[in-house]
Amino acid sequence: MITSENQVFLKKARVLISEILRNRHFFSARRGYGGSCSDIRGPGVESFAGRVYVIHSPERENHMDREPLWNCLSRAVEFRKSFLAEPHESAFRLVNGFTEHLPGLVIDIFAKTAVLHDYSADGEFEREPEPLKTFLLENLPWIKAIVLKKRSSDSIEEKNGVLIHGVKPDTRIREHGIAYAIDLQMNRDNSFYADTRLLRKWLIENMAGRSVLNTFAYTGSLGVAALGGHASEVIQTDLSEKFLALAGRSCSMNAFHYTGKNFIVGNFFPVV
């Protein structure tokens, strides 16, 4: 049975869908940090069912010029303030724009380096990075370097990241007492997945005396965490020698014993 509330919802949905089809360009953002859809206001903004839809038109100002940019960034920083305390050695995601009203933008922090990921199809954030730089340097004054990665670019250099502030990105972070080597411009990713923080913590707490095989190891952070938890042996495999070299650097930073036999370069099936 369709209630009167459902009918109102469906009517609003039909109007919005018609507008979307007429303009053929929109974005949506779920509530991702405890805020509400009313956090973004202004002409062309519609919301229902916990989402925000921005209808684009020639009259709309650029995404980077709107006041909500600063509002959303401020809310993201406030939500993650527990990660912002000194000594600024860890890695974490400061902004996930896809769930925080800034689709196309992701900001990661590695020690004192900020990495901006521009996922927009037209390089919107890459074209005008100054508002983002200004916000970061005013609100996180300990940031020493900023790297911008344009994910949709045809240029390998732009995908891997261009330094837009500072002299050199950080090359190491520390998490749960373990040091990890990083190379923030090695490829289009960050060389380190901050979102597996709790998995590394679990490995540190549960791998004592165990033998560990880390396949598809990438830069080996999980294997390094296992060594930090006193695993008896860790074998790491990956197709890329370059990635495993970074795992070796992480082991050296922590004075973990290893030999060439602990790192196997090759395709998964022949190796295993």
Side-chain angles (χ1 to χ4, degrees):
M1 178 179 178
I2 299 178
T3 65
S4 58
E5 184 179 352
N6 294 144
Q7 290 176 337
V8 171
F9 175 87
L10 291 172
K11 183 178 180 180
K12 191 171 185 179
R14 282 194 293 268
V15 172
L16 181 56
I17 290 170
S18 297
E19 188 70 20
I20 288 169
L21 293 174
R22 187 160 54 249
N23 288 274
R24 295 184 181 277
H25 191 192
F26 73 99
F27 71 77
S28 67
R30 285 186 191 275
R31 288 174 287 197
Y33 49 78
S36 68
C37 292
S38 61
D39 291 324
I40 293 184
R41 306 172 186 272
V45 178
E46 301 287 346
S47 66
F48 69 94
R51 291 175 180 246
V52 174
Y53 293 86
V54 178
I55 310 302
H56 292 263
S57 66
E59 293 76 26
R60 285 195 57 76
E61 54 192 345
N62 185 277
H63 188 74
M64 297 296 291
D65 297 331
R66 296 200 305 270
E67 183 180 352
L69 170 70
W70 290 76
N71 294 341
C72 293
L73 292 175
S74 297
R75 290 292 296 271
V77 169
E78 175 66 19
F79 187 67
R80 296 164 176 86
K81 62 183 179 181
S82 63
F83 289 102
L84 301 177
E86 294 182 350
H88 309 306
E89 295 180 330
S90 64
F92 61 94
R93 179 147 293 179
L94 180 69
V95 177
N96 183 2
F98 294 98
T99 60
E100 295 180 291
H101 305 323
L102 291 171
L105 176 66
V106 169
I107 303 178
D108 293 321
I109 302 295
F110 292 87
K112 297 180 180 179
T113 298
V115 181
L116 315 182
H117 300 265
D118 182 0
Y119 286 89
S120 64
D122 59 355
E124 180 178 4
F125 297 100
E126 183 268 342
R127 287 198 314 273
E128 299 182 53
E130 289 304 318
L132 294 173
K133 285 176 57 178
T134 300
F135 178 88
L136 289 171
L137 296 175
E138 286 185 3
N139 291 273
L140 285 69
W142 40 267
I143 290 290
K144 302 300 182 186
I146 301 176
V147 174
L148 174 62
K149 293 175 181 278
K150 186 179 177 184
R151 303 299 291 258
S152 62
S153 175
D154 294 328
S155 165
I156 297 298
E157 181 183 9
E158 290 182 349
K159 280 186 176 181
N160 291 353
V162 177
L163 189 68
I164 62 172
H165 175 76
V167 177
K168 183 181 179 182
D170 281 279
T171 58
R172 63 184 292 163
I173 60 103
R174 181 171 291 275
E175 178 189 84
H176 305 309
I178 305 296
Y180 297 91
I182 56 174
D183 184 343
L184 297 175
Q185 295 173 284
M186 181 172 64
N187 66 346
R188 65 180 183 176
D189 294 321
N190 295 320
S191 76
F192 185 89
Y193 293 124
D195 58 357
T196 52
R197 176 187 302 106
L198 295 180
L199 176 53
R200 285 185 290 272
K201 184 174 186 291
W202 184 87
L203 289 166
I204 292 170
E205 295 172 347
N206 293 278
M207 288 299 103
R210 296 179 178 272
S211 297
V212 176
L213 173 63
N214 183 21
T215 60
F216 307 99
Y218 190 36
T219 56
S221 70
L222 300 183
V224 174
L227 288 170
H230 305 289
S232 59
E233 182 181 30
V234 174
I235 305 295
Q236 310 217 58
T237 74
D238 197 273
L239 192 59
S240 171
E241 183 176 6
K242 179 173 65 174
F243 293 164
L244 289 180
L246 209 57
R249 282 176 48 195
S250 294
C251 289
S252 297
M253 286 178 178
N254 295 282
F256 295 151
H257 175 73
Y258 71 97
T259 69
K261 294 180 179 180
N262 295 107
F263 300 103
I264 304 176
V265 178
N267 199 4
F268 169 76
F269 292 102
V271 166
V272 175

